[in-house]
Amino acid sequence: MKLCMIGTGYVGLVSGVCFADLGNEVTCVDKDINKINLLKRGKIPIYEPGLSELVTKNYKNKRLNFSTDLKKSVKESDIIFICVGTPTKKGGSSADLSQIFNVAKEISLSINKFKIIITKSTVPVTTGDEIEKILSKRNNRKKFSVVSNPEFLREGEAIRDFIYPDRVVIGSNNKKAGKILKNLYSPLISKGASYLQTSRRAAELIKYASNAFLATKITFINEIANLCEKTGISVEDISIGMGLDKRIGSRFLRAGPAYGGSCFPKDTKAIISTADKFKTNLSVIKSVIKSNENRSKILLDRIYQILNRKVKNKKITFLGVTFKANTDDMRDSSSLKMIPSLSKKGAIITYYDPTGHKKEFVKLKNVTNKTSIREAVQGADLVIIHTEWNDFKSLNFKNLVKGKKFTIYDMRNIYSSKKISDQGFKYYSVGK
Ligand code: UGA
């Protein structure tokens, strides 16, 4: 099948490359000519393990192409995926849909035969209806079908998540489109993915409800972790004990810093904004947002306690500063709250991240990037394990440190207290 992905950000690029790898002819379109030229040279604008190899392989065998010509690419394709950004509106909480509607207007000028137009970007309920209105201003409704096909890829795991999804959700009331898309996804369905066809509005809401639910699950266990810290219980026992109940499930029950990234914070706000529009109060999600916003304060307070409230001139090392492991994404990372706050209080901060130096900290006083774990931890009073990269999982702290031993605050509960204490280090973790 001939596919066109509009927007070569995270969603468009990963999905486009994976569809090409499944044997489709895919054109990834972006208006940013520099990005397109980079991609043609095999350079990947985002950090995603395994993506570069797949781009090179499929570009070489000509199943994958890159272009800035939206109209031509749409004309030559059967299925068009809209994958542009839907960030939070400036000064508001709803999703900014201007890029989606601009693309829809451009597509409407290029419908030369039956096209399936799909929103893969996360879009609020009724966006598909709006796109349909835009397209039908210039085109007969029989010449296109607007479908919602949300993506559930996680950064850092995106290729695996694409190839082995739990489910494929197609929101369409059009039988012909439904049949074509089931066929497009058949290689994944035959490997075990569930296929669900719903109304378009339902598919749009499934995406937001899923992200809001996962954010709720994390926030729930984070609050239980606070209680565990006060009662001498390990939150890991609670996660295991709860997770064994099949109705609950063990995934996304790991306590840690505030959730971050480009999706949960944005999508929880946007679903509330949609609900407001329909005069519905999503009070649970509202309190999840509030609790998560307060989480960094709670973790900061633990840092102050660990340092006996003497932060000035204390040397603090962060291992990992992105919002989670296996990504270079800093968006809404809890380190963006913690590091500035500690720097303001006079701490001397060094950080090491496997994805390198971060521009976000350049202007802060006494915050330095180091290019190795060993360098970063030398002379530290406190080492904070902020993300769970494999690089941080089997450290021999005894061999790493030359001088005085530091205290460790493991925000991802990677290590066991006994193992670290046996090496002579003071050790703190989350929810214990
Ligand atoms: C999330 C969803 O998991 C994807 O299904 C969805 O497609 C994506 O948003 C999106 O809407 O595009 P992502 O933001 O890449 O994916 O990251 P997650 O792996 O979900 O992690 C989000 C945050 O939750 C991170 O800060 C992570 O550290 C935190 N988390 C996750 C926990 O604190 N505990 C957990 O048990 C799991």
Side-chain angles (χ1 to χ4, degrees), residues 165-170 188-197:
D166 288 342
R167 79 291 209 195
V168 172
V169 176
I170 300 293
L188 310 184
I189 299 165
S190 65
K191 275 194 206 149
S194 299
Y195 178 84
L196 175 68
Q197 189 163 338

Side-chain angles (χ1 to χ4, degrees), residues 3-41:
L3 314 184
C4 169
M5 318 301 292
I6 302 179
T8 55
Y10 204 81
V11 176
L13 188 56
V14 172
S15 311
V17 172
C18 290
F19 275 130
D21 207 50
L22 289 175
N24 300 285
E25 268 179 61
V26 181
T27 305
C28 290
V29 176
D30 205 292
K31 59 181 180 191
D32 182 343
I33 187 150
N34 293 328
K35 215 178 193 185
I36 292 298
N37 285 339
L38 275 180
L39 283 162
K40 282 184 174 172
R41 278 188 269 127

